[in-house]
Amino acid sequence: MGYTVPAGISNKHVHLSEADFKTLFGEDAEMSFFKKLSQPGQFATDDKVDIVGPIGTLKGIRILGPYRKQTQVELAQTDCFATGIKGVLRESGKLEGTPGCKLVGPKGEVELTEGVIVAQRHIHLSTAQAEEAGVKNGDIVKVKFDGPRALVFDNVVVRAGDTHERDMHLDTDEANAAGLQNGQLGEIVK
């Protein structure tokens, strides 16, 4: 077997700018801490908001920290169907031209004009891990998962750098299609 990466299954979530967090949770509020995530410095909070689309609302969606420069909402395609928000596949942070939504928190509301994405599946690797795997930042690879619902994921973006740690991020729709569990190893196919 070649170089492997663990599956990191990502449920719907929200990354907030500090200004939007304060609007939703109150001027004196601070992000809470629930648990560390796979990427250094990133964490899940106990803070939650509702995501309102043209035809439906997703209630109690978790906020991930730390603050981002721009608020970003990450949904799976089935979440887009449920809310009526058009699912636009994008790499994280590439939000220009994406749809918006309304976020409702305990202290206020934010109307986003853009920022809702279906995240492009990707692999995080440290610089050393990328070198060991024989890939570099921005490469597009395939990742093969074995099992009863074996599947090869194509168009997987490599995100390599000193602030990354080995993990493949895919959403719940993708993971369910392959019957994956968090931490299950997949092989990078170049």
Side-chain angles (χ1 to χ4, degrees), residues 4 32 120 131 142:
T4 60
S32 64
Q120 173 69 42
E131 189 174 311
K142 298 178 183 185

Side-chain angles (χ1 to χ4, degrees), residues 28 76 79 82 86-87 113 122 157 171 176 186 190:
D28 296 331
D79 302 319
K86 182 178 190 243
T113 57
H122 56 279
V157 178
D171 67 32
N176 288 338
K190 291 178 263 178

Side-chain angles (χ1 to χ4, degrees), residues 35-169:
K35 69 176 184 176
K36 287 183 181 182
L37 299 176
S38 65
Q39 298 311 296
Q42 296 187 24
F43 57 95
T45 74
D46 280 317
D47 308 307
K48 296 177 182 175
V49 294
D50 295 343
I51 299 170
V52 181
I55 65 168
T57 299
L58 301 171
K59 296 231 175 238
I61 308 308
R62 192 174 300 278
I63 305 301
L64 302 185
Y67 295 122
R68 293 274 180 102
K69 183 175 146 188
Q70 183 178 354
T71 294
Q72 175 174 298
V73 177
E74 294 186 35
L75 302 176
Q77 192 64 51
T78 51
D79 302 319
C80 293
F81 297 148
T83 58
I85 299 170
K86 182 178 190 243
V88 177
L89 185 67
R90 288 289 175 86
E91 284 186 53
S92 181
K94 296 187 178 180
L95 306 178
E96 188 175 331
T98 59
C101 69
K102 180 168 36 171
L103 299 176
V104 179
K107 300 286 185 181
E109 298 180 355
V110 172
E111 192 73 46
L112 298 177
T113 57
E114 66 181 11
V116 180
I117 66 169
V118 174
Q120 173 69 42
R121 55 185 166 248
H122 56 279
I123 298 169
H124 289 278
L125 295 169
S126 70
T127 304
Q129 291 163 343
E131 189 174 311
E132 185 180 341
V135 296
K136 64 185 182 319
N137 189 55
D139 282 356
I140 306 294
V141 298
K142 298 178 183 185
V143 179
K144 177 183 176 222
F145 286 92
D146 291 325
R149 300 187 80 187
L151 189 61
V152 176
F153 288 100
D154 203 350
N155 298 321
V156 181
V157 178
V158 174
R159 297 177 65 185
D162 293 335
T163 60
H164 298 273
E165 186 54 46
R166 186 175 73 120
D167 205 24
M168 178 178 172
H169 289 177

